[in-house]
Amino acid sequence: MDEKKTPVIGLPRALLYHRYGTLWQTYFESLGVETVLSPVTNREILENGSALAMDESCLSAKLYLGHVQTLIGKCDQVFIPRYSSLERDAVFCTRFEGLYDQTRNIFRASGQGFLSCDIDQRNRHGERDAYVNLGKKLGFSARDARSAYQSAVKVNEKQWRERVEAQEEEYRKPGMKILLVGRSYMLSDPYVGRPISDYLKSIGVSPLRADVTDRDAAVRESGKYSPTCRWLMSRELIGSVLLHQDMVDGVILLSAFPCGPDSMVNEMLTRKLKGISILNLVLDAQSGMAGVETRLESFVDIIRFKEGAPV
């Protein structure tokens, strides 16, 4: 393939980018395709995304549209894969199935190109085949696309394994530890989720993330609480809480308003977790850190009081 004709692919730094970003970037890089990232989240991106989204959209979806907007005209195609299921009984939120069509419709007058692939194991559209077909769509051979996908998976898995191992070490260190239970695209976002971790650190608390876990082990463990929960990321979070609840001093359930899966799962965890302090934080487009910091500080003070430490 003529390198000069390869398109520039835009990657919105939101939603599943925080789960698959390394895989996507390595895949395109292995094919010699240039990628461009949207900026890190800021207030302007959130406000612009909120103006584009339907009122009932969750905070994370509003952020996503804001990130897509920053890429309009700066790349040939914005990559928006459809993730439906990785296993027959483990599905993603339906938002990820409709995201490509919804986004393309919102920006239909912009002239921007969009690129997608379908990952739906229930209908025999496996991840590997999806990325092979994506490569062919871009003009590469099936062999090159397969090789690029395999390289991307290897890099992604190595990086993930290192992150999990590093965090497991943190569980064994002394000091107060609080488990943040939320989706990667909430906890990793520098404007929405990361300030919560930063504030906890500033008051002497080690924030640990439930999403950074051995995913297979977490999914198996989650069946003890809810054998019927089908949302893959929810199952991972439930299982991670079960695996680590005895290693932390408190749990913060962090979700984006009005996330349906989180509202159900967090209610279940609040009812079933015993003997541990729990704080439920629901963030929306109007959330400010001042109020959040007050709640975090009070939560930490309550834990210290219960443990007999000076407040």
Side-chain angles (χ1 to χ4, degrees):
M1 181 173 180
D2 187 349
E3 239 180 78
K4 295 181 181 177
K5 294 181 180 179
T6 57
V8 175
I9 305 298
L11 301 178
R13 209 181 318 212
L15 287 180
L16 291 181
Y17 173 82
H18 294 291
R19 184 182 178 100
Y20 295 116
T22 298
L23 187 146
W24 296 341
Q25 287 182 269
T26 306
Y27 171 79
F28 288 119
E29 181 183 299
S30 298
L31 289 173
V33 175
E34 182 184 349
T35 59
V36 57
L37 294 177
S38 60
V40 296
T41 307
N42 54 38
R43 186 70 195 178
E44 183 182 4
I45 286 176
L46 175 56
E47 289 177 350
N48 290 342
S50 297
L52 291 164
M54 297 181 293
D55 290 341
E56 59 269 26
S57 296
C58 68
L59 172 63
S60 302
K62 293 174 181 177
L63 283 171
Y64 187 82
L65 292 176
H67 277 274
V68 172
Q69 188 181 55
T70 67
L71 292 169
I72 300 299
K74 297 179 181 177
C75 59
D76 297 300
Q77 299 186 69
V78 177
F79 182 52
I80 309 177
R82 286 193 183 97
Y83 272 85
S84 178
S85 64
L86 291 182
E87 301 172 20
R88 291 188 178 278
D89 62 342
V91 302
F92 287 84
C93 170
T94 54
R95 178 168 304 283
F96 297 117
E97 293 187 64
L99 193 62
Y100 172 77
D101 296 306
Q102 179 192 36
T103 306
R104 208 171 88 166
N105 182 60
I106 289 172
F107 294 100
R108 62 187 179 277
S110 68
Q112 178 63 53
F114 292 91
L115 180 69
S116 188
C117 62
D118 296 323
I119 297 95
D120 186 2
Q121 189 60 51
R122 291 175 304 171
N123 291 309
R124 299 182 179 180
H125 297 150
E127 187 180 63
R128 185 189 68 172
D129 290 343
Y131 281 96
V132 170
N133 290 331
L134 175 64
K136 290 163 68 176
K137 190 186 300 185
L138 291 170
F140 295 93
S141 68
R143 179 179 179 180
D144 287 343
R146 189 178 301 109
S147 176
Y149 170 73
Q150 290 169 345
S151 297
V153 167
K154 192 175 298 183
V155 171
N156 190 61
E157 289 182 347
K158 180 177 182 294
Q159 184 187 80
W160 184 251
R161 190 164 55 249
E162 289 172 351
R163 285 190 66 190
V164 172
E165 290 172 355
Q167 180 161 280
E168 290 299 321
E169 286 295 321
E170 293 296 318
Y171 282 108
R172 291 184 274 273
K173 293 181 179 180
M176 180 183 290
K177 292 176 282 292
I178 289 180
L179 185 64
L180 300 178
V181 184
R183 297 166 189 271
S184 297
Y185 48 79
M186 285 292 290
L187 298 180
S188 294
D189 190 274
Y191 186 79
V192 174
R194 204 176 299 165
I196 293 174
S197 295
D198 292 342
Y199 181 74
L200 289 172
K201 290 176 183 176
S202 75
I203 58 174
V205 176
S206 295
L208 299 165
R209 291 175 44 165
D211 63 314
V212 180
T213 189
D214 182 329
R215 290 169 175 162
D216 292 335
V219 168
R220 290 192 297 269
E221 191 72 13
S222 71
K224 297 178 181 178
Y225 261 22
S226 178
T228 58
C229 179
R230 301 186 67 202
W231 298 303
L232 176 61
M233 286 187 281
S234 295
R235 288 167 65 177
E236 291 170 356
L237 292 176
I238 293 169
S240 182
V241 172
L242 293 177
L243 290 169
H244 299 109
Q245 61 178 324
D246 295 331
M247 306 166 73
V248 296
D249 301 280
V251 171
I252 295 177
L253 305 175
L254 182 68
S255 61
F257 179 83
C259 178
D262 279 358
S263 65
M264 296 179 66
V265 169
N266 290 354
E267 177 67 18
M268 180 190 70
L269 287 171
T270 301
R271 289 170 180 261
K272 291 197 171 187
L273 288 176
K274 305 297 181 183
I276 190 167
S277 299
I278 301 173
L279 173 64
N280 198 349
L281 273 182
V282 181
L283 302 181
D284 61 22
Q286 284 73 46
S287 296
M289 272 308 292
V292 171
E293 288 177 0
T294 299
R295 294 189 65 189
L296 291 173
E297 186 175 16
S298 298
F299 182 60
V300 171
D301 285 346
I302 289 170
I303 294 173
R304 286 176 173 153
F305 179 78
K306 286 172 63 177
E307 295 180 350
V311 176

